[in-house]
Each structure stands twice: as structure tokens, then as C-alpha cells.
Amino acid sequence: MSEKRYFKIFSERHTIGEQNKYVVLFDVLDVLTEEDDQVVKKELRKHKIKTDYLSADKNYLYHLILRSLINFHDARTFNLQLKELLMSIEILFHKGMYYECLKLIEYTEEIASECENFQLMIDVLMWKKKCSGYSLGLQKASEINKEIDSYLILLNNYKRLTDLYYESNLLQANFEKYSKKEIIKQFESLLAVQELKNEKNALSFTAKIFYHLVHSNYYFAKDDKINELKHLQSLIDITKTSTTYGKENPLDFISLINRLLGIKKYFDKKSFFEDITYLNEFGKNNFIKQEVMLERIFIHSTTHEIDYYLIHSDYSAALNKIKEVEKHIAKYQIAIEPYHYIYYYYLHAITLIFSDQYNKALKYVNLALNNFKMMDRPQVYLRIELLNALIHYELKNYALVNSVGGKILRQNKKTSHLISIEESLIKTLMNLSSYTGLNIKAEKKQFTDWLQETEQFKEKHGSAVNSLINNYVKWVSSKIKRQTVTELFGKVN
């Protein structure tokens, strides 16, 4: 709203007579849910505004809004300050005011150095070289040229660490396509490069962040949570020492905290909730688009908190958190990637299944399946389909169990996103749904066989799969014991 108010003040300079046609056009477009030129023209004619050049007027309005935003967010971040200072430096240079230019360059260098913006620092030094050449002589210009070389080294080192990080992410993405042994072998080959042998080889603050991210990806592949946490905590500690990183890169910083919470929820409760509090407080900082920060933090913090309660069998706390979230979720629907929302709904569904609230769980399953596509997050999406089959089994919609189960198996044959024990659970549900006059004895036998198969699978594959299939094990065990998961496994307060 403050940006909109400023725009209307800013655009007054474009007023024609008593009426500002761009403000009118802005207001008309602002209330439309879908852009429709015919509706826009009709509204503009009510204000006696010509519509012959609507396309050109909209284009002009677009650039007018951008100029307004630039003015509104003047110096809101160090990077914006740097760009504005560079414009001032260029203007002073072309006016021949070289000494004034060098004074401004000295101040600009301090800011660029503080926030490690190597690209803009090189731009600053290029202007410094020009000004020095014209005012202090070629010798001074030559010295500054060597200074540019040092920043090119830092920039290249940062670029190299970034590339290695992307390579490690691709290895993670292939985790289910290749054997764990093969993935770890490829990771070890990656870690043998010079830049990743020692943190000292990461030459800048930002390069060190990517150094630790690569190593945390490696330990994730090894299912070594202790060392994964160690590297993630190191990179968070690094970022907290900077006075500028969080402000200049709020989305990246939130992603780093999100990654830390993803592993810390398996460990110390006190430290986990301290970081949840830290993340929520961070969102209250003054960002260009604070609501974007807050909605991302809302999704990340609540998702991890619910997941924490499920991991530690505190189902009543998980259910209470969901009730709290339901009161607020409607206003957080703007710019969160489907990747995060899908897992968010997945955890909601599991919590409600564990509490025997199957119809409500189905609501969240349908939200995920209807609002998103499998390509948004294939592994979780297919597992939500599995929950879909499980819920319909509980609701005795046996025909739907077979229909959904068959679709999952066909899809997984193409993609191999589910592990074999999940396929086995789907087949078990389909077998039971095909029984004529299904009885408790038959159900117990099928589920007991699945549990035995699962134990053998876990022994073969180790702890890497434990957290993945643990929820299924709890639900199947509850069916055998004829209790809800909450009753059977729930934490006693």
C-alpha cells in the first residue's frame, strides 16, 4: 500500500490538466483479477480518457511504476546504494570533476567491500582507474588495474565454488537413480578438487558458504546427520558474523536457515526452537518486500515444527500446530514455490491420519494433488498419492484404492521415485481392497507380512531409509493393534 501511495505522488508530474490518466489506468488494472483490455477501455471511457493507444499507455505505465519503485526503495539495500553511487560517479566523471569523483569512489569501495559485491567493486575500480588516469597519472591508473586483478581472482573463486555447489546438487537429485555407493564415489571425486579440500581455499565470505553447502550435501548423501549439521551450522555462523549478508540476501539467508532446521529437528529441542525463533524474528526486518519474507518464513518454520513433532511422536503438539496454522494459512498464498507447499500439505495429511481424522486428511491430499503437478516435487507428490490410497482404504473406498494404487504403480514404473517397500505397501492395500468380505484376521496377516519385509529392507539399506518409511510402519502397526497411531506411539506429556 505504501508503494501504491508513493506511485500516485510520483506520477503527479505526468498529470494532464486536472486528470492523471496513468493513475486512472493503474487503479483500473489494480482491481482486475484478470487483465481484459475491453473492460479496461470501458472503465477509461467513463473518465473520458482516450483508449486508442492503450497498449502504449500500459507500457509507459509499466516503466513509470518501475521508476517509482526505484525512487521509493532508494538506498534500501547496500547493493542499491552502490548502483546509485555508480551513476553519480559516472555523471561526475563526464563533468570532469575527477577529484570529487575519487572521493565518492573511496566511499563506494567501503560499501562494496563490506557486502562482498565483487562485480560492482570491479565496476567501481574501473571508474577509479579512469579518474586516476586523468587526474593522478598513468602510474596510479596502472596500480589500480592490478587491484582489479585481485577482485577478478575473488570473483572467479566464488564462481568456481558456486559451480561445485550446483554439481553437488545434481548428484543429490540423482540419489534415487543410482546406488548410494556410486553417488558417494562421485561425491568423493568432487571433494578432491583443490577448492574443496580446505575451507581456506574458499577465498571470500560468500565462497565459504558454498564450500560448506557442498560438504553438507556430501554428508546428506552418506546419511551422516552429525557432520551434515556441523557444516550447516558453520555456514550459518559465518553468515551471522556479517552485518550485510542477511539484509542483502534475505531469501538466500532464509533458505540456509531452512536447510539447517531440516537437519536440526533430529537433534536438540532447545537449539531447534531457538533457530525457529531466530528465523521468525529475522522476518521482521525491513525488507523491500517484507510480506514475501514473512510468507516464506511462515511455511518453512511451521513445516519444520510439524515435522519435528512427528519425528518425536508428539502428535498432540503437531495437531495443535495444524489448528493454529489453519487460522492463518489463507493470507499466505502469494509467492511460495510449489516445492515447499507440497511437503507442507503432506505433513498436514500425515498428522491428521495419525489422529484418525481421515476426511480432513483427504482435504489436504486433494489440495496438493489438485493445485500442483507431479513435476513440482515428484517424490513427495507420488507419496501424497500413496497417502490418498491409504486414506481411501481407511474410508473403505476400496474401488478407489485399486484405482489410485494402480496409477501410482504405473507412474513409478516410469520414474522409480518410490522405494520398493512403498510399492509393496501399495500392493498390500490393493490386495486387501480386493478381498470379498475383508476381515481383521486377513488384514493382520497381510500387514504383519509387510512389517517383516520392511525390517529386512531396513537391515539391508541401513538408517538412510528409516525416517522415510517410519510413518508407514507406525500406521501399519496401528492397524495390527487396532489403535490410532497417536494412541499407540504418541508421546505422553
Side-chain angles (χ1 to χ4, degrees), residues 189-204:
S189 176
L190 185 69
L191 293 176
V193 304
Q194 188 63 30
E195 291 86 351
L196 293 173
K197 286 183 178 179
N198 192 300
E199 186 184 342
K200 292 178 181 178
N201 296 331
L203 303 179
S204 63

Side-chain angles (χ1 to χ4, degrees), residues 189-410:
S189 176
L190 185 69
L191 293 176
V193 304
Q194 188 63 30
E195 291 86 351
L196 293 173
K197 286 183 178 179
N198 192 300
E199 186 184 342
K200 292 178 181 178
N201 296 331
L203 303 179
S204 63
F205 161 82
T206 42
K208 291 182 193 303
I209 291 173
F210 288 101
Y211 169 88
H212 286 291
L213 280 172
V214 174
H215 281 81
S216 64
N217 284 350
Y218 167 62
Y219 287 113
F220 172 83
K222 290 188 74 175
D223 194 40
D224 183 345
K225 288 184 172 62
I226 292 173
N227 277 309
E228 183 185 358
L229 176 61
K230 175 184 171 184
H231 280 280
L232 289 171
Q233 190 64 62
S234 292
L235 70 88
I236 293 299
D237 291 342
I238 288 169
T239 58
K240 285 182 178 179
T241 63
S242 170
T243 57
T244 63
Y245 183 80
K247 184 176 181 180
E248 299 298 299
N249 309 278
L251 290 176
D252 290 345
F253 187 66
I254 289 168
S255 293
L256 293 178
I257 297 284
N258 179 49
R259 179 78 188 271
L260 177 68
L261 289 171
I263 187 69
K264 192 169 272 191
K265 60 193 171 193
Y266 293 96
F267 294 95
D268 179 55
K269 178 179 180 179
K270 182 175 181 290
S271 179
F272 172 79
F273 280 99
E274 282 175 353
D275 283 332
I276 287 279
T277 302
Y278 180 84
L279 180 59
N280 287 323
E281 289 300 315
F282 175 77
K284 297 174 184 177
N285 290 333
N286 185 26
F287 300 110
I288 285 179
K289 200 69 173 173
Q290 189 179 42
E291 60 266 35
V292 174
M293 304 299 119
L294 291 173
E295 68 196 15
R296 297 181 78 85
I297 288 170
F298 174 81
I299 290 293
H300 292 329
S301 62
T302 53
T303 295
H304 286 305
E305 193 172 340
I306 292 166
D307 212 0
Y308 174 89
Y309 294 135
L310 291 176
I311 290 166
H312 296 279
S313 301
D314 195 346
Y315 305 119
S316 60
L319 195 59
N320 288 335
K321 189 65 184 178
I322 283 178
K323 290 175 182 175
E324 177 190 326
V325 166
E326 284 174 342
K327 297 175 183 177
H328 305 286
I329 193 172
K331 65 180 180 180
Y332 291 103
Q333 297 282 335
I334 305 171
I336 301 296
E337 304 95 308
Y339 182 89
H340 298 301
Y341 255 125
I342 289 171
Y343 192 62
Y344 184 68
Y345 289 139
Y346 173 73
L347 291 178
H348 274 60
I350 289 176
T351 302
L352 293 163
I353 287 168
F354 283 2
S355 303
D356 224 21
Q357 298 183 41
Y358 296 103
N359 283 306
K360 201 168 183 181
L362 190 59
K363 168 190 164 185
Y364 283 101
V365 164
N366 288 332
L367 273 172
L369 298 179
N370 294 334
N371 292 336
F372 305 112
K373 298 176 182 176
M374 185 167 168
M375 66 183 69
D376 291 325
R377 193 168 183 178
Q379 293 169 345
V380 178
Y381 189 93
L382 210 52
R383 285 175 177 127
I384 290 177
E385 285 277 26
L386 198 161
L387 295 184
N388 193 24
L390 186 153
I391 291 167
H392 284 300
Y393 178 81
E394 286 283 11
L395 297 175
K396 297 182 169 50
N397 299 328
Y398 298 130
L400 278 173
V401 174
N402 281 304
S403 174
V404 172
K407 185 173 78 170
I408 296 169
L409 293 174
R410 287 191 298 272

